[in-house]
Amino acid sequence: MLALASVVIVLMGIGLVALGDLGQVLGGVLFALFGLAGLSMVGADLCLPRRRPVLELGTAPSGAAALVFPYSRFTVLQSGIGTSVLVLWCAVSAGFAAIEGHRAGALVLGLVGLGLAVPLVPLLRGRIVAGGLYVTAVGLEFRHEGAGWSVPWDGIRGVVPRDHVYLSLHSDPDRHDATRIMWRRGPRGGRLLSVVPDRYIAGGPAAIAMVVARGVTQPEQRDILAQAHVVRELNELLRDRVSTVVGDRRPSVP
């Protein structure tokens, strides 16, 4: 339905552009942009779950060695590019409105453009990252876009993989949010509950829950999780699962 609606919106935009009037052309371009954004979201939902990033051996934000479940960079790129295009559309439209003598319209479009540009500031400052879930010998660290938190192993009560990964905690995690201006989308959980959003993260909820459960129930395993052979074995296991599922023509999300 979203794909069909997006195609209709694009066609409406093309129709308005074809009329040739300046206002209708600008409106048609805006319609087309929204339609193309919808189609890109549909394409991502179809392709990215089957092409999740692989697990990595990396460094957590704290500086500790970590087993990393990275997020796809698509969402950050899509949001940054989409917002930049809308800001550009507002600037161009405001300029044409001013030329045509519509000062009020130019002022409104300029203010809307400035409002849309606000979330781009932390992005341009490098504070917005795709991030991921970092599994270290000390605990878990999470960074995604503008949100972040950390929790020690002893602070985790249990883990449940569903549509997202839900962590039951003994105490609230330490927050490390990079910004208060948007960029903190997705479920935030509640008191004594942290959520790792599933959308485009490596491995998927089941793989994350398996690793976290091992760290919670087997303290002696925590020091070896962030090692190259563990990352290699997990990636091979995930590839085998995806190959088996695709061969059976079942959904391929781990």
Side-chain angles (χ1 to χ4, degrees):
M1 291 299 294
L2 178 58
L4 179 60
S6 299
V7 171
V8 171
I9 292 173
V10 170
L11 293 176
M12 290 174 59
I14 294 174
L16 288 173
V17 171
L19 294 176
D21 181 75
L22 177 60
Q24 293 169 328
V25 168
L26 294 176
V29 171
L30 182 61
F31 268 77
L33 291 175
F34 277 115
L36 292 174
L39 289 175
S40 71
M41 293 175 61
V42 172
D45 286 337
L46 290 174
C47 297
L48 291 182
R50 294 179 177 271
R51 295 173 175 82
R52 292 176 182 266
V54 298
L55 277 62
E56 301 173 353
L57 184 65
T59 303
S62 65
L67 165 62
V68 186
F69 291 86
Y71 278 98
S72 169
R73 295 180 176 84
F74 172 79
T75 53
V76 175
L77 289 173
Q78 183 192 48
S79 298
I81 294 173
T83 303
S84 299
V85 171
L86 288 176
V87 170
L88 179 61
W89 179 88
C90 287
V92 172
S93 299
F96 278 116
I99 292 173
E100 294 293 324
H102 303 293
R103 295 182 179 179
L107 178 60
V108 170
L109 288 168
L111 292 175
V112 171
L114 287 175
L116 291 172
V118 170
L120 293 177
V121 175
L123 178 63
L124 294 174
R125 293 179 61 187
R127 302 180 68 178
I128 307 302
V129 296
L133 180 68
Y134 302 83
V135 183
T136 73
V138 177
L140 304 179
E141 300 180 34
F142 177 78
R143 296 292 187 279
H144 184 45
E145 296 183 343
W149 48 261
S150 61
V151 61
W153 284 115
D154 292 340
I156 303 173
R157 180 181 299 164
V159 56
V160 178
R162 292 180 180 171
D163 51 339
H164 305 293
V165 180
Y166 298 88
L167 299 173
S168 175
L169 308 176
H170 292 291
S171 59
D172 291 330
D174 295 328
R175 298 295 311 184
H176 305 287
D177 295 335
T179 178
R180 295 182 179 180
I181 304 173
M182 303 178 67
W183 292 109
R184 291 186 296 169
R185 300 172 291 184
R188 290 177 60 88
R191 189 173 183 276
L192 303 183
L193 180 68
S194 285
V195 182
V196 180
D198 167 58
R199 193 173 181 84
Y200 311 145
I201 193 172
I208 294 173
M210 178 184 68
V211 172
V212 173
R214 178 186 296 184
V216 171
T217 59
Q218 303 178 40
E220 69 279 3
Q221 297 287 317
R222 298 170 184 173
D223 290 333
I224 68 171
L225 290 175
Q227 293 189 9
H229 73 277
V230 175
V231 176
R232 183 171 59 254
E233 290 172 1
L234 287 171
N235 279 325
E236 291 175 354
L237 174 62
L238 291 171
R239 279 195 296 269
D240 291 342
R241 290 185 62 183
V242 170
S243 299
T244 301
V245 170
V246 170
D248 291 341
R249 295 186 179 181
R250 295 194 295 267
S252 62
V253 179

